[in-house]
Amino acid sequence: MLPRPPSHLLPWRCLLLLLILALAGSSNGVSATAKAKAKAPAAAPKPAGFGYKLVSLVQRPNGGGLVGFLQVKRRTSTYGPDIPRLRLFVKHETMDRVRVQITDAEKQRWEVPYDLLPREPSPPLGATADGAPFTAGEYPGQDLVFTYGRDPFWFAVHRKSTRQPLFNTSRAPLVFKDQYLEVSTRLPGDAALYGLGENTQPGGIKLRPNDPYTLYTTDASAINLNTDLYGSHPVYVDLRNLAGRGVAHAVLLLNSNGMDVLYTGTSLTYKVIGGLLDFYFFAGPTPLAVVDQYTAMIGRPAPMPYWAFGFHQCRWGYHNLSVVEDVVENYRSAQIPLDVIWNDDDHMDARKDFTLSPVNYPRPKLLAFLDKIHARGMKYIVLIDPGINVNHTYGVYQRGMDRDIFIKLDGQPYLAQVWPGPVYFPDFINPNGASWWIDEVRRFHELVPVDGLWIDMNEASNFCTGKCTIPTTHRCPDPTSKEPWLCCLDCKNLTNTRWDEPPYKINASGKSARLGYNTIATSAVHYNGVLEYNAHSLYGFSQAIATHKGLQSIQGKRPFILTRSTFVGSGAYAAHWTGDNKGTWEDLRYSISTMLNFGIFGMPMVGSDICGFYPASPPPLEELCSRWIELGAFYPFSRDHANFASPRQELYQWQSVARSARNALGMRYRMLPYLYTLNYQAHLTGAPVARPLFFSFPDFAPCYGVSNQFLLGAGVMVSPVLEQGASSVDAVFPPGTWYNLFDTSKAVVSTGSGAAVRLPAPLNEVNVHVHQGTVLPLQRGGTISRDARATPFTLVVAFPLGAADADAEGAVYVDDDERPAMVLAEGQATYARFHAAVRGGKEVTVRSDVAMGSYSMHKGLVIEKITVLGLHGAGTDLAIQVDGADDATAVATSSPYFAAADAAQVLRQGEEDDAVEGEKRSGVTMEVGGLALPLGKSFTMTWNMRIQA
């Protein structure tokens, strides 16, 4: 959470403040523009470097890769002296991944610690480069080929099958200094790039040339556009359409130091202020293959408990327990689904971590409340920040001091200020720091049996800058202050080290701010002498790992952790929300791109604060909130959260919003088995839960830039309203037949021309469509996921409209989500694959193949209905086999019947002029109902379609 400007700030004061800030950026109040006019033309900038030449290259035995040495060609002083001798290491680590690492040949340089992000090690420095001289111009792997030039040295990676270049550094010299590394690659102008976050991208998910992309974890709220935000993910996906076929690959620069990435449309340049160049190239060639290969290297996404896919409610400002109790009961009375209730820092004693307010959240009453909601199947999550209040009566602080686990500056714990006032920051890189944190999590869980933890402010955020001391002339914090985010420590800027003032200034905070601005001083020191300068962007990642270990060790259950700050690999431990947004239509729209980016980053459990964290002025809240829940109901992580200064915005506050919530969340709760199965697939392969359209349709170039729609899994598309006052939405439909999930008699048939289809979207409705070829598992739904998951299943089988011969497939995974591991094991989980086919427009078959069925049998899970879309006529001659036999006892409680729908409404996209035409057709939806098929047993159903006059 971040502070907001005072609500009493009048417009003229805002203008005055902006004027003061503008003047502050120049000396003597003279504007930068005026000064620029007075200056002589600037001289051409000095080159940062002149490159290197390759002086030796050997191939290590037993597939150990290539090792070479580079010598600087000509030295420069720009951004510091060149490192004279570099080591090159190249290895095809898998058939679809190649690693290219360049580092100092003489001295060990900082790199992401292997214990935080386990991976294959590179050869130690100083080791003899055994092997035969390598003289070939290419070093091929299974899918990718490494090529290089010797003088000047450059390298490239191309695809073996097509020889298409994916990365080529020959356009500019390699620069490698202690605090400045630069390398560039050529790009074709028609390449579509995605990734390089975290930032709020107003132009949508596709990277725009010349937009700034700075990576450095920063507590700058998500309302700041094109600015480095909470996470650092130096990876991008490159999608190219070659002769009508979409081909993708990805590039990761594994480096935790701050960096600017300059993308021009035909080139991409990295400017990094430390560490080494450690590139990983992932061959794809499909977007799904890319994330599979990427998460295989960085860590598969963490499995989430089933209830995490329910709806969550939070607010900063639930000042006492009775308010929280009222919120829960109001959701229940309004019949709006709610699984998890949250507390921001309101539950704490003076905002101190791992404490309870004895007045506002007395433990006996809180425990009684938790007993009550736990009995209903609900969960409770609270926030903890990393900053530990400097308070000698505070046990958490005392134990931390005893174990010497805080980050230090000049030999003393580094003093900062966050919500409780003066704080020290734990060092999670320190093994003692991690074990201390795990113990504090255990102690707190004994105090309050929370079901998950929310780790915030972990970039790390600091209300002050520089080296600070506790003041002796005034109180800090001031208990009467209405602006606790203002620094009240006595501080001075740190400018005397090259870590606090590096030679190259990245565009930090969107304004080339000091690296230590509102965070830990970059000259501060972690365990074993590690500089904050190097480890800064790993802070939230390391905290998430320790928190995950803590929850898993004490609960013996699958942990749920929500983190704000993230890095490469964070998805293996935590979910993410997109931070402090605002209740505006623009923020509603931006949320989709950020969500989709995190799916690419390997963090599929992601969502934005529904209805907005900060209030807009004036607040357009009711209609916006109605539309936001229609979108947010389909975020993988779905939570309403607000600032204490915002109007109350729980979904029951307005009747219109409550209607939208019951409608959209009602569908979400019916889709929970599908979402949970996507969670399972994400854990196995990295496949995002929410995906850009090009993940399923990489050959369909018109969808490459679509940022106002998205897919859930492979075949469900959400097309929300994102504009005020709109009663329709223009949606792009990839080729095929799409059926409206809320009313399956409504279908869109797309030829794939790329023209938008205008869909009706009244205030309380959202367009969600299922694509042909899909078998979608649904349940009856409910208001709590525990109850919803016990209801009977419906299978929705989507064939192309009027198809004579077609197939569809799907799957469902169910398990006991209390277990830490998400594995398919007998008695613990069931996985059922569904296959459907129509032949000759008449013969229909639906069957399941079940693995580990005993868990579902024990839970009594059954399929009660099969809904088939796209066929004409009525069903007859139904036959059912269960486990290969005509076993009537297996469906003894069923009374199967056929039911056909009334006339269908079909929107057909014209092939010639892209017009969209409406037509009425005979029913295209039919049901086989009255079933009681055990989910845990394989079955085959067949019937014939009879065309009626």
Side-chain angles (χ1 to χ4, degrees):
M1 56 189 176
L2 268 178
R4 61 180 292 273
S7 59
H8 59 272
L9 199 63
L10 298 175
W12 68 269
R13 289 179 176 168
C14 292
L15 293 173
L16 180 61
L17 179 60
L18 289 172
L19 179 61
I20 292 170
L21 290 173
L23 293 176
S26 61
S27 62
N28 303 317
V30 180
S31 73
T33 304
K35 290 174 69 177
K37 289 179 180 178
K39 285 183 177 180
K46 293 182 180 180
F50 293 94
Y52 289 75
K53 62 181 178 180
L54 180 67
V55 295
S56 68
L57 186 65
V58 301
Q59 183 170 9
R60 303 171 76 212
N62 304 316
L66 305 179
V67 173
F69 292 95
L70 312 176
Q71 188 72 38
V72 68
K73 287 174 65 66
R74 176 181 165 191
R75 302 191 183 204
T76 71
S77 58
T78 307
Y79 305 134
D82 299 274
I83 293 179
R85 191 164 179 262
L86 303 178
R87 190 195 70 180
L88 168 70
F89 171 61
V90 183
K91 186 178 182 183
H92 292 280
E93 294 188 336
T94 69
M95 64 181 229
D96 43 38
R97 180 176 84 226
V98 62
R99 180 184 189 182
V100 180
Q101 185 192 75
I102 301 174
T103 187
D104 190 332
E106 310 297 338
K107 291 174 58 179
Q108 185 71 42
R109 289 184 63 81
W110 167 257
E111 59 183 318
V112 176
Y114 282 80
D115 58 344
L116 289 185
L117 188 68
R119 58 200 186 277
E120 192 172 324
S122 57
L125 291 182
T128 304
D130 294 330
F134 188 82
T135 57
E138 296 185 347
Y139 180 51
Q142 182 75 24
D143 291 341
L144 299 175
V145 179
F146 171 84
T147 60
Y148 61 97
R150 289 183 174 268
D151 189 5
F153 170 76
W154 56 266
F155 76 88
V157 175
H158 68 253
R159 199 177 295 280
K160 189 174 186 179
S161 58
T162 62
R163 299 197 67 82
Q164 183 194 29
L166 309 184
F167 197 88
N168 186 321
T169 70
S170 62
R171 70 176 300 273
L174 168 67
V175 180
F176 204 116
K177 300 164 187 279
D178 189 30
Q179 289 182 266
Y180 184 78
L181 288 63
E182 181 180 322
V183 65
S184 299
T185 179
R186 303 175 189 271
L187 289 170
D190 58 353
L193 267 59
Y194 312 88
L196 295 179
E198 176 182 11
N199 58 22
T200 300
Q201 299 172 193
I205 186 174
K206 189 176 171 183
L207 300 188
R208 293 194 305 193
N210 304 315
D211 273 0
Y213 298 99
T214 298
L215 281 67
Y216 187 73
T217 60
T218 304
D219 180 4
S221 77
I223 63 176
N224 294 289
L225 308 181
N226 292 325
T227 299
D228 46 311
L229 296 180
Y230 315 107
S232 177
H233 295 270
V235 61
Y236 69 85
V237 173
D238 181 332
L239 176 62
R240 306 175 189 179
N241 194 280
L242 305 175
R245 179 171 174 257
V247 180
H249 69 275
V251 179
L252 166 68
L253 172 57
L254 185 59
N255 184 302
S256 63
N257 291 83
M259 68 180 77
D260 289 332
V261 185
L262 280 61
Y263 170 51
T264 68
T266 57
S267 68
L268 188 141
T269 300
Y270 297 90
K271 298 186 174 187
V272 192
I273 59 171
L276 44 73
L277 296 176
D278 203 357
F279 284 103
Y280 292 82
F281 300 92
F282 304 90
T286 66
L288 276 175
V290 164
V291 293
D292 186 3
Q293 295 153 12
Y294 180 58
T295 56
M297 183 252 164
I298 68 166
R300 298 296 193 190
M304 296 290 155
Y306 198 94
W307 53 262
F309 288 92
F311 184 67
H312 303 243
Q313 177 61 51
C314 185
R315 179 181 174 84
W316 182 23
Y318 288 152
H319 294 303
N320 57 54
L321 180 58
S322 63
V323 177
V324 176
E325 291 173 320
D326 287 344
V327 170
V328 171
E329 293 308 314
N330 285 334
Y331 267 95
R332 196 179 193 198
S333 298
Q335 287 294 292
I336 300 172
L338 180 65
D339 257 78
V340 190
I341 188 71
W342 295 57
N343 267 126
D344 203 301
D345 66 5
D346 302 291
H347 67 285
M348 298 180 185
D349 180 15
R351 293 174 166 170
K352 299 192 297 290
D353 278 350
F354 304 119
T355 64
L356 285 178
S357 167
V359 175
N360 297 321
Y361 284 82
R363 184 169 181 257
K365 290 185 177 180
L366 179 59
L367 294 180
F369 168 70
L370 295 185
D371 286 343
K372 181 179 179 180
I373 66 169
H374 283 156
R376 293 180 186 174
M378 290 183 63
K379 306 296 181 181
Y380 178 62
I381 294 175
V382 299
L383 172 142
I384 47 176
D385 292 335
I388 301 301
N389 186 223
V390 178
N391 185 327
H392 295 283
T393 66
Y394 174 34
V396 177
Y397 165 81
Q398 291 175 324
R399 290 186 289 272
M401 290 297 291
D402 290 344
R403 298 184 66 173
D404 191 23
I405 53 84
F406 295 112
I407 294 169
K408 294 182 179 181
L409 179 69
D410 297 333
Q412 299 297 319
Y414 177 75
L415 183 67
Q417 179 190 331
V418 201
W419 299 112
V423 299
Y424 293 156
F425 288 114
D427 180 5
F428 299 103
I429 294 177
N430 185 338
N432 284 335
S435 63
W436 163 85
W437 183 261
I438 291 168
D439 184 59
E440 295 301 335
V441 169
R442 177 191 62 78
R443 290 170 181 268
F444 181 63
H445 195 268
E446 291 175 354
L447 184 72
V448 187
V450 295
D451 300 289
L453 288 173
W454 172 18
I455 51 177
D456 192 9
M457 307 289 283
N458 53 351
E459 292 74 28
S461 178
N462 180 2
F463 297 162
C464 301
T465 298
K467 184 174 183 178
C468 305
T469 57
I470 295 176
T472 57
T473 58
H474 60 272
R475 297 183 68 181
C476 181
D478 180 354
T480 65
S481 174
K482 295 183 179 180
E483 298 174 316
W485 51 83
L486 297 180
C487 180
C488 57
L489 299 174
D490 289 338
C491 303
K492 63 178 182 180
N493 285 328
L494 293 168
T495 60
N496 59 339
T497 77
R498 62 191 180 105
W499 312 116
D500 297 300
E501 293 288 339
Y504 174 80
K505 290 179 170 52
I506 62 171
N507 191 34
S509 300
K511 55 188 178 184
S512 297
R514 285 193 175 98
L515 292 180
Y517 175 71
N518 286 156
T519 188
I520 301 169
T522 43
S523 54
V525 178
H526 293 251
Y527 174 75
N528 217 19
V530 170
L531 283 166
E532 169 69 9
Y533 180 88
N534 292 318
H536 170 82
S537 290
L538 300 175
Y539 193 75
F541 178 35
S542 60
Q543 185 192 19
I545 294 173
T547 307
H548 188 275
K549 290 178 180 177
L551 281 180
Q552 193 168 68
S553 65
I554 58 177
Q555 291 181 314
K557 299 179 182 179
R558 192 173 301 168
F560 179 84
I561 298 154
L562 186 71
T563 182
R564 191 168 73 177
S565 185
T566 62
F567 187 71
V568 175
S570 288
Y573 304 95
H576 175 64
W577 93 108
T578 63
D580 297 340
N581 59 3
K582 195 172 186 178
T584 70
W585 292 92
E586 291 79 12
D587 284 74
L588 172 67
R589 185 174 72 251
Y590 301 153
S591 71
I592 297 177
S593 295
T594 307
M595 169 186 69
L596 297 179
N597 267 329
F598 271 87
I600 292 171
F601 297 154
M603 295 197 75
M605 192 60 166
V606 59
S608 294
D609 285 347
I610 292 170
C611 301
F613 178 72
Y614 293 128
S617 181
L621 213 51
E622 183 172 351
E623 181 191 357
L624 175 69
C625 205
S626 190
R627 291 305 192 186
W628 210 320
I629 187 55
E630 290 170 6
L631 165 60
F634 301 99
Y635 293 154
F637 172 64
S638 183
R639 185 184 70 160
D640 182 321
H641 180 43
N643 184 300
F644 67 88
S646 299
R648 291 291 292 269
Q649 61 187 46
E650 293 85 5
L651 302 180
Y652 55 76
Q653 296 288 345
W654 309 269
Q655 290 186 3
S656 66
V657 177
R659 282 195 298 272
S660 294
R662 283 190 289 267
N663 188 48
L665 288 173
M667 180 56 73
R668 180 187 182 91
Y669 273 61
R670 291 196 67 203
M671 291 176 62
L672 284 177
Y674 179 65
L675 293 173
Y676 193 64
T677 302
L678 295 178
N679 173 39
Y680 175 64
Q681 293 170 350
H683 183 54
L684 291 183
T685 69
V689 175
R691 309 172 187 177
L693 272 58
F694 65 76
F695 264 68
S696 287
F697 304 95
D699 300 341
F700 183 55
C703 75
Y704 287 8
V706 170
S707 303
N708 55 359
Q709 300 167 250
F710 59 95
L711 296 173
L712 292 173
V716 174
M717 184 168 70
V718 182
S719 306
V721 171
L722 303 173
E723 296 179 2
Q724 187 172 11
S727 58
S728 63
V729 62
D730 293 336
V732 172
F733 282 84
T737 306
W738 297 82
Y739 300 93
N740 188 316
L741 264 183
F742 289 92
D743 182 353
T744 53
S745 69
K746 297 178 180 178
V748 175
V749 180
S750 171
T751 61
S753 70
V757 177
R758 179 155 294 179
L759 303 171
L763 180 60
N764 302 121
E765 296 183 15
V766 58
N767 280 278
V768 181
H769 290 80
V770 61
H771 190 233
Q772 67 182 47
T774 303
V775 178
L776 181 67
L778 304 176
Q779 287 177 284
R780 290 182 183 178
T783 58
I784 293 178
S785 65
R786 184 195 65 180
D787 300 335
R789 71 183 302 192
T791 62
F793 284 81
T794 293
L795 301 182
V796 177
V797 178
F799 289 127
L801 183 65
D805 297 283
D807 296 275
E809 61 182 20
V812 68
Y813 173 87
V814 294
D815 72 354
D816 175 3
D817 70 332
E818 297 284 287
R819 298 178 187 274
M822 197 176 205
V823 295
L824 187 58
E826 196 64 72
Q828 299 179 22
T830 295
Y831 188 69
R833 292 182 177 272
F834 304 112
H835 309 266
V838 58
R839 297 292 181 260
K842 179 180 178 182
E843 299 173 358
V844 183
T845 302
V846 180
R847 64 183 175 86
S848 72
D849 296 317
V850 176
M852 310 297 175
S854 62
Y855 173 79
S856 290
M857 296 300 295
H858 174 70
K859 292 294 182 179
L861 299 176
V862 298
I863 299 167
E864 66 175 349
K865 184 166 60 177
I866 296 177
T867 301
V868 181
L869 311 178
L871 303 184
H872 301 304
T876 185
D877 305 326
L878 176 68
I880 303 175
Q881 287 189 326
V882 176
D883 276 353
D886 296 315
D887 186 356
T889 60
V891 288
T893 60
S894 69
S895 301
Y897 65 84
F898 288 105
D902 295 330
Q905 303 174 48
V906 180
L907 289 174
R908 188 179 294 277
Q909 196 178 49
E911 295 184 8
E912 295 182 2
D913 57 3
D914 293 334
V916 176
E917 301 175 355
E919 62 179 85
K920 294 256 185 176
R921 301 189 58 139
S922 60
V924 295
T925 302
M926 59 137 338
E927 293 180 355
V928 184
L931 303 172
L933 294 169
L935 183 67
K937 291 190 175 183
S938 299
F939 69 84
T940 300
M941 294 181 59
T942 59
W943 69 87
N944 292 317
M945 299 299 297
R946 184 178 68 251
I947 305 299
Q948 297 174 323

